Amino acid sequence: MNATDSEPERTVEPERTVEDAAAQGRLLSLTAERPAAGGTFVARHEGRVVFVRGTAPGETVTARLLDDPEQAADARFWRAEAIDVLEAGVDRVPSVWAEAGVDGVGGAEWAHIALPAQRRIASEVMQELLQRAGVTSYPIEDVQVEPATHDMDGLGWRTRVRFAVDADGAVGMRGWRSHEVRSVGENPLAAQAIRDLDLGSWTAPEGVEAIDVVAPSAGPPAVVLIGRELDPASVSIPDSWGDADVAVRTAQGLTPLRGDGTVTERVGERLFTVAATGFWQVHRRAAELLTEVVSGDLAAPRGGSVWDLYGGVGLFAAAAAEQVGQDGSVVSVEGNRRASQLAAENLEDLRQVSTATADVTDWVRARRGGVDVVVLDPPRSGAGAELMELLTKVVRERIVYVSCEPSTLARDLAVAEKAGWGIVDLRVFDLFPHTHHVESVTVLERPLR
């Protein structure tokens, strides 16, 4: 049955027995209420809040308490994991990834929830975070999570995967809130090129602690074996990896074994070189979608100026350069030296673009004069109050804020509103299906004087 059907088939998951799970912790009967940030759901036991993983709104489950009730007797809340469904909710469907169930791998905490319901739940969480932060300049009810372009089932989207390796060389992923390495099975969220490598059936050589795998939009996949004391000479590349580029990352740095340690990503007609372990949007359509949305929101004036903060390898700077033209200026600011170097190479044909390797807040603080438009794409920690306050003083027209973390976005938007700016658009995209994560693009404008 398709997970997008309006009447999802109910199922009792996971397959492990209650007796097996009970041996590992105290069991509670809990009824899930509203969603909470982080992919869990709020339930209550004798008045105490319990955050439960593996359930869905309105359903009653048997859950294993993850906290020691004696040691955590005075804690404000407990955490638990559903191990059996007593009364299924209307949003429950057969899991798209059985290995992500109880005692399974992390990274797919909503695999048992229908996709439309996932987006509804994520919308509710984001709305609540904005309300708690005191954001008032945009209608909260209009904040709704949208699917990624052409993403019908939420599968095969992940182009970057980190695998864990246990002491025996078995390759898998770590469990939720666990250091144990567990089997990934078919790994249905991963891109086909990653699944084709079949790392789960490969035994890693001694010294490999983790493996990063990338399936870029242009060129072969890349495999990076990670180990602090790993000897690159000890690594033999399996025939099953085909033409994949391979590198070894140790405490001394990156040693390419095949390829040069980079991958190539295509967005429209432009190619971007990215470090194999560097940042790039994970969803296979994310870079294309976000470039389209950000380009429309920037509306940078011809001959104007743009700062691309946390600019990475130049994705948004390239779009901004087209808008300002050769008489304008774009500066891409990035704290990671390697990414900044690649941005300079990726954008070397655009004379109006320059790059700076610097802490973003320090760089903006040191500027004299203003800028027409800013686009920023910070890490999950967000931009922070100081940077937002600086931007509200020096940006003449608008700020386009790309975020992967609703809580820090809400905090930063509240800072901008306090300075008198307002939100004119806020779109949220499901670029991490079957997880609680979302990506958003917010447009802030200076009020008319």
Side-chain angles (χ1 to χ4, degrees):
M1 182 174 188
N2 193 308
T4 60
D5 289 349
S6 58
E7 294 295 334
E9 177 185 342
R10 298 188 184 186
T11 184
V12 174
E13 294 180 327
E15 296 180 357
R16 294 180 76 256
T17 67
V18 175
E19 290 76 12
D20 289 342
Q24 301 177 35
R26 176 182 172 185
L27 298 185
L28 303 175
S29 177
L30 300 170
T31 299
E33 300 172 4
R34 58 182 176 83
T40 60
F41 296 86
V42 174
R44 296 181 187 275
H45 175 72
E46 298 179 351
R48 187 191 305 272
V49 169
V50 183
F51 293 105
V52 188
R53 176 190 187 258
T55 185
E59 66 181 19
T60 301
V61 298
T62 299
R64 181 180 64 220
L65 188 63
L66 299 178
D67 303 281
D68 185 329
E70 294 183 2
Q71 295 183 3
D74 297 327
R76 292 188 301 110
F77 60 84
W78 289 343
R79 297 186 183 276
E81 183 174 30
I83 62 171
D84 190 29
V85 179
L86 303 178
E87 184 177 346
V90 296
D91 298 323
R92 181 173 285 272
V93 295
S95 175
V96 299
W97 192 3
E99 286 79 8
V102 174
D103 289 333
V105 299
E109 63 275 9
W110 287 356
H112 61 285
I113 299 175
L115 269 177
Q118 293 180 32
R119 293 164 186 153
R120 186 198 73 234
I121 294 166
S123 300
E124 293 172 3
V125 171
M126 188 152 194
Q127 290 170 6
E128 181 179 3
L129 289 169
L130 291 168
Q131 289 174 333
R132 287 187 176 184
V135 173
T136 60
S137 64
Y138 191 79
I140 299 298
E141 64 275 10
D142 289 351
V143 178
Q144 301 290 335
V145 177
E146 309 172 34
T149 309
H150 305 305
D151 193 341
M152 303 302 295
D153 57 10
L155 303 179
W157 56 268
R158 182 175 282 279
T159 63
R160 281 149 173 81
V161 176
R162 168 159 287 193
F163 293 91
V165 180
D166 70 13
D168 297 322
V171 180
M173 291 181 182
R174 299 199 185 280
W176 182 63
R177 296 174 60 86
S178 170
H179 294 293
E180 184 179 344
V181 177
R182 294 161 181 168
S183 170
V184 300
E186 294 185 3
N187 200 6
L189 304 193
Q192 186 62 51
I194 294 176
R195 297 200 299 272
D196 287 345
L197 294 173
D198 194 20
L199 287 178
S201 65
W202 181 65
T203 300
E206 184 177 356
V208 177
E209 300 168 5
I211 306 171
D212 282 347
V213 184
V214 179
S217 55
V223 179
V224 180
L225 306 176
I226 302 169
R228 286 163 293 184
E229 304 299 329
L230 179 60
D231 180 5
S234 69
V235 176
S236 176
I237 301 175
D239 292 340
S240 60
W241 291 3
D243 62 350
D245 290 347
V246 181
V248 171
R249 188 177 193 88
T250 68
Q252 288 70 45
L254 189 74
T255 302
L257 302 183
R258 186 163 65 193
D260 62 0
T262 68
V263 296
T264 303
E265 300 285 356
R266 180 186 298 276
V267 180
E269 297 302 314
R270 181 168 288 275
L271 297 177
F272 294 86
T273 300
V274 185
T277 57
F279 174 77
W280 187 260
Q281 291 290 339
V282 174
H283 193 289
R284 66 181 186 275
R285 303 300 295 268
E288 176 186 4
L289 184 154
L290 292 174
T291 297
E292 178 182 348
V293 173
V294 168
S295 295
D297 290 338
L298 277 176
R302 203 72 176 169
S305 57
V306 177
W307 293 345
D308 176 16
L309 307 180
Y310 308 95
V313 298
L315 177 65
F316 297 139
E322 292 185 10
Q323 295 188 3
V324 301
Q326 293 189 1
D327 294 330
S329 67
V330 177
V331 184
S332 175
V333 186
E334 168 58 46
N336 181 279
R337 183 172 300 278
R338 179 57 173 151
S340 189
Q341 292 172 342
L342 290 172
E345 297 173 12
N346 291 331
L347 306 172
E348 62 181 354
D349 61 312
L350 301 171
R351 294 184 302 169
Q352 64 271 48
V353 178
S354 60
T355 60
T357 305
D359 174 84
V360 168
T361 303
D362 290 346
W363 186 90
V364 173
R365 190 190 305 116
R367 294 311 96 195
R368 297 293 180 266
V371 64
D372 292 323
V373 183
V374 161
V375 56
L376 67 159
D377 184 8
R380 293 196 184 281
S381 56
E386 182 182 0
L387 178 57
M388 292 304 295
E389 290 170 356
L390 288 169
L391 293 178
T392 61
K393 295 174 182 176
V394 301
V395 179
R396 288 185 284 268
E397 296 188 8
R398 72 188 56 81
I399 300 168
V400 180
Y401 191 140
V402 182
S403 171
C404 61
E405 177 47 58
S407 62
T408 55
L409 171 70
R411 177 203 65 199
D412 292 345
L413 295 182
V415 173
E417 285 190 341
K418 187 176 180 180
W421 283 59
I423 302 168
V424 297
D425 194 25
L426 201 172
R427 297 180 67 184
V428 192
F429 300 96
D430 184 14
L431 298 185
F432 308 90
H434 305 295
T435 83
H436 70 278
H437 298 289
V438 294
E439 193 89 6
S440 62
V441 182
T442 305
V443 184
L444 290 153
E445 289 190 354
R446 181 183 292 276
L448 296 175
R449 300 190 185 279

